[in-house]
Amino acid sequence: MKPKSIIITAGIFGVFAVIMGAMGAHALKEILSPATLQSYLTGARYNMYHALALLAIAANAPHLNTKWMKNGVLLIMFGTVIFSGSIYLLATSTITGISLKAVLGPATPIGGLLLITGWISIAIAAFRK
């Protein structure tokens, strides 16, 4: 995976995080309960954290083992989509009518596990270079 592709993905994640965070801070503030809103904003926060992390990984690509970096980036990408995406959907289920709690509930920790594994892969990528 080339740094340019990672930067493009980081940009998309960043845009989405800002949009979702703004929606939570403004449009959803009056609709969701404080606890649900907090959960939703956690999804936006982790979305942005990992957008920034992808930028840092791309900037440090020359210092990372390519195979392990690629694995780490893919795990972080999928983990972010699953983790933050499931939180967004769970938090807004009363508004959207999307009620897949049996699927989305377990998806959040799976996304978190992918994120953790992605970070381990990035650490290995640095160690192996």
Side-chain angles (χ1 to χ4, degrees):
M1 180 165 282
K2 295 183 179 182
K4 181 178 179 179
S5 300
I6 300 169
I7 293 168
I8 291 168
T9 303
I12 293 167
F13 276 21
V15 166
F16 201 70
V18 170
I19 290 169
M20 299 306 274
M23 193 165 74
H26 301 288
L28 298 177
K29 189 176 184 179
E30 302 299 323
I31 300 170
L32 300 177
S33 72
T36 303
L37 179 62
Q38 197 59 33
S39 178
Y40 177 92
L41 292 174
T42 296
R45 206 169 32 255
Y46 272 74
N47 197 159
M48 181 57 80
Y49 291 160
H50 289 90
L52 296 172
L54 290 173
L55 288 176
I57 292 165
N60 287 288
H63 307 290
L64 301 172
N65 174 281
T66 305
K67 175 188 158 198
W68 283 97
M69 180 189 73
K70 179 182 177 183
N71 291 339
V73 166
L74 289 172
L75 287 163
I76 289 171
M77 287 169 50
F78 287 115
T80 300
V81 169
I82 294 169
F83 182 83
S84 292
S86 64
I87 290 175
Y88 295 144
L89 290 172
L90 284 166
T92 60
S93 64
T94 58
I95 300 164
T96 63
I98 299 172
S99 183
L100 301 170
K101 289 185 182 181
V103 174
L104 294 174
T108 306
I110 290 169
L113 185 60
L114 291 174
L115 290 171
I116 292 165
T117 308
W119 282 107
I120 291 168
S121 294
I122 296 302
I124 293 170
F127 182 76
R128 292 273 174 114
K129 184 67 178 185

